[in-house]
């Protein structure tokens, strides 16, 4: 058994020695092959020496750039209120028709005021006598026939009577429901004979001309918005474009949403549009004249830089940009390009600096 183990050990050592002897030759043979024989490198060489890449280009020109902001908002009534009485009582008469226009001060409804009217008549009947007493006492005072105190007493009684009359008239006015402003009155929620209290809503009055357009913009544009800026908006199912004007902004940015609430005014002549409708809004913050722009799709963000490719003598050349504002489709160029440069707008991701290219088509600039 020991002899057999010794024999296996000798054979193993012999194999290792032979392997070490022949391995350098095999290694040299494998790695001495020319690098140009590598299939990968050969393929890359063919790619770099192949036909020029066909591209579409655009000749840059000075143009105007509109800084547009897009957002959504809602149309709101200029004024809106739930109508109710200031006092309690049974409704004796409703004067308005649902869904109609009413004028400021129009009488809309009334609650029972018979006890108050009776009290008013009583006080009015006392008024002539009180005036006569003051007149007589004044005449007697001028002749020193009565004391000043007696005259002042009847004068005070007259003033108290007049105050009571004003109080009754005020309480009677509280039994009348009048329109606080011009508007459209909605559906009535009560009927004649209903006992109404100050918490009972009779109907809703809405002022629909003009309308408010409320929307929010992000904090980046907050410093640019100001009263007087025009706002264009569209509503669903309507091909028309409507124009409003910004008139007010919230005093601070909402810390939760990082947006600023803005309101614009739309005249809404004839009351065509209804409050509550959603609107797609575009706001022209400013217009920049005589500037260079490039399409957004022609710009590549690479390692913190914005780069484009221009065509020059059949070669694609990489250019780093200094950018200005960005709109939905265009990017303003501050530095890096000049008017007359030929910008490559297709095949951007395939381009490398110095790559041969061929122009298939030159397109017009898009504002």
């Amino acid at each position: 058994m020991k002899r057999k183990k010794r024999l296996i050990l000798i054979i193993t050592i012999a194999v290792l020695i032979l392997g070490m002897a022949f391995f350098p030759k095999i290694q040299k043979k494998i790695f001495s092959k020319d690098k140009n024989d590598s299939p990968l490198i050969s393929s890359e060489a063919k790619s770099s020496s192949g036909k020029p890449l066909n591209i579409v280009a655009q000749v840059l020109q000075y143009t105007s750039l509109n800084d547009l902001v897009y957002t959504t908002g809602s149309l709101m009534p200029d004024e809106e209120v739930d109508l109710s009485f200031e006092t309690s009582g049974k409704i004796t008469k409703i004067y308005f028709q649902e869904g109609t226009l009413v004028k400021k001060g129009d009488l809309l409804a009334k609650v029972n005021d018979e006890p108050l009217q009776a009290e008013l008549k009583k006080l009015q009947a006392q008024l002539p006598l009180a005036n006569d007493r003051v007149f007589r006492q004044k005449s007697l005072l001028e002749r020193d026939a009565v004391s000043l105190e007696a005259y002042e007493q009847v004068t005070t009684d007259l003033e108290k009577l007049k105050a009571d009359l004003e109080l009754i008239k005020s309480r009677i006015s509280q039994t009348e429901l009048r329109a606080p402003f011009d508007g459209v009155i909605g559906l009535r929620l009560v009927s004649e004979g209903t006992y109404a209290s100050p918490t009972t809503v009779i109907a809703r009055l809405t002022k629909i001309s003009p309308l408010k357009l409320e929307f929010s913009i992000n904090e980046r544009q907050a410093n640019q918005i100001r009263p007087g800026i025009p706002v264009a908006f569209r509503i669903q199912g309507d091909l028309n474009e409507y124009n409003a004007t910004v008139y007010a902004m919230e005093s601070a940015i909402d810390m939760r949403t990082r947006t600023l609430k803005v309101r614009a005014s739309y005249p809404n002549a004839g009351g065509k549009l209804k409050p509550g409708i959603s609107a797609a809004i575009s706001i022209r913050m400013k217009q920049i004249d005589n500037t260079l722009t490039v399409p957004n799709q022609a710009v590549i963000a690479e390692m913190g830089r914005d780069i484009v490719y221009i065509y020059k003598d059949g070669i694609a050349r990489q250019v780093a940009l200094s950018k200005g504002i960005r709109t939905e489709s265009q990017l303003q160029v501050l530095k890096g390009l000049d008017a007359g440069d030929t910008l490559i707008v297709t095949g951007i991701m395939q381009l490398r600096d110095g790559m041969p290219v061929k122009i298939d088509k030159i397109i017009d600039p898009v504002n």
Side-chain angles (χ1 to χ4, degrees):
M1 180 66 70
K2 291 181 180 179
R3 185 180 296 174
K4 187 175 181 180
K5 290 182 178 179
R6 189 180 293 113
L7 180 60
I8 293 173
L9 180 59
I10 293 170
I11 294 172
T12 302
I13 293 172
V15 171
L16 290 173
I17 293 171
L18 290 173
M20 292 175 65
F22 286 98
F23 179 74
K25 295 181 180 180
I26 297 172
Q27 186 181 30
K28 183 176 181 181
K29 185 175 181 181
I30 292 173
F31 290 97
S32 63
K33 183 179 285 189
D34 195 327
K35 291 182 180 179
N36 292 332
D37 293 338
S38 168
L40 178 60
I41 296 176
S42 176
S43 174
E44 289 180 352
K46 288 180 181 179
S47 175
S48 63
S49 62
K51 294 181 179 180
L53 179 67
N54 293 336
I55 52 94
V56 174
Q58 169 188 323
V59 178
L60 297 181
Q61 301 174 9
Y62 286 111
T63 184
S64 296
L65 180 65
N66 289 320
D67 185 10
L68 295 175
V69 173
Y70 297 92
T71 184
T72 57
S74 299
L75 290 170
M76 301 170 54
D78 187 52
E79 303 287 352
E80 188 172 53
V81 65
D82 288 334
L83 299 170
S84 58
F85 287 101
E86 295 182 68
T87 188
S88 299
K90 185 177 72 173
I91 298 175
T92 57
K93 188 67 175 177
I94 294 176
Y95 297 96
F96 67 87
Q97 289 186 346
E98 298 167 288
T100 60
L101 285 168
V102 297
K103 295 291 185 181
K104 180 179 180 178
D106 285 353
L107 181 61
L108 304 177
K110 188 168 181 62
V111 298
N112 183 28
D113 67 349
E114 290 182 1
L116 295 175
Q117 291 290 350
E119 184 69 20
L120 177 64
K121 288 181 180 179
K122 177 182 174 181
L123 294 174
Q124 287 174 336
Q126 297 174 15
L127 188 59
L129 179 59
N131 282 320
D132 286 344
R133 285 176 179 171
V134 170
F135 178 76
R136 287 195 299 269
Q137 291 295 324
K138 184 178 180 182
S139 299
L140 293 172
L141 179 64
E142 290 173 351
R143 297 194 298 269
D144 293 328
V146 296
S147 65
L148 179 62
E149 182 179 358
Y151 172 72
E152 289 177 345
Q153 181 63 51
V154 295
T155 302
T156 301
D157 291 342
L158 176 61
E159 294 301 321
K160 286 174 61 178
L161 180 59
K162 289 180 178 179
D164 288 341
L165 280 166
E166 292 299 321
L167 178 61
I168 289 297
K169 290 178 180 178
S170 175
R171 293 175 62 186
I172 289 173
S173 69
Q174 291 179 338
T175 67
E176 300 175 344
L177 181 61
R178 295 184 180 273
F181 48 79
D182 296 353
V184 176
I185 197 162
L187 305 178
R188 63 183 174 93
L189 305 177
V190 296
S191 299
E192 292 181 1
T194 301
Y195 185 85
S197 70
T199 60
T200 304
V201 177
I202 308 305
R204 176 170 293 178
L205 180 64
T206 304
K207 187 176 182 179
I208 63 172
S209 181
L211 287 178
K212 298 173 182 176
L213 178 63
E214 184 172 283
F215 57 93
S216 295
I217 61 172
N218 64 48
E219 59 184 345
R220 185 174 65 86
Q221 289 105 16
N223 291 332
Q224 300 178 44
I225 197 75
R226 62 186 182 277
I229 286 182
V231 174
F233 68 94
R234 295 179 181 273
I235 60 175
Q236 190 172 8
D238 190 338
L239 298 179
N240 295 314
E241 182 176 85
Y242 301 94
N243 297 296
T245 304
V246 172
Y247 73 90
M249 294 82 67
E250 190 58 89
S251 58
I253 291 174
D254 190 322
M255 294 183 65
R256 295 172 302 166
T257 61
R258 298 296 177 185
T259 59
L260 180 70
K261 188 174 290 186
V262 182
R263 284 184 178 175
S265 178
Y266 171 65
N268 199 31
K272 177 182 178 181
L273 302 184
K274 301 296 182 185
I277 297 175
S278 63
I281 300 167
S282 61
I283 313 161
R284 190 175 74 178
M285 295 294 190
K286 59 183 177 180
Q287 179 174 307
I288 303 172
D289 296 321
N290 298 321
T291 188
L292 289 177
T293 64
V294 296
N296 286 332
Q297 69 268 20
V299 183
I300 304 173
E302 183 179 274
M303 299 180 65
R305 302 183 306 159
D306 292 291
I307 64 171
V308 295
Y309 287 92
I310 62 172
Y311 173 87
K312 193 166 185 179
D313 299 328
I315 301 296
R317 294 300 182 189
Q318 187 182 101
V319 177
L321 301 180
S322 175
K323 63 182 180 180
I325 65 170
R326 185 188 295 271
T327 68
E328 189 177 24
S329 61
Q330 299 287 301
L331 177 67
Q332 182 190 16
V333 178
L334 301 179
K335 292 181 181 179
L337 295 174
D338 295 309
D341 287 345
T342 303
L343 177 74
I344 301 175
V345 296
T346 62
I348 305 302
M349 302 309 296
Q350 304 174 48
L351 293 175
R352 297 293 181 270
D353 192 29
M355 178 182 289
V357 290
K358 179 182 178 182
I359 296 178
D360 272 353
K361 181 181 179 183
I362 294 181
I363 61 174
D364 293 329
V366 179
N367 293 325

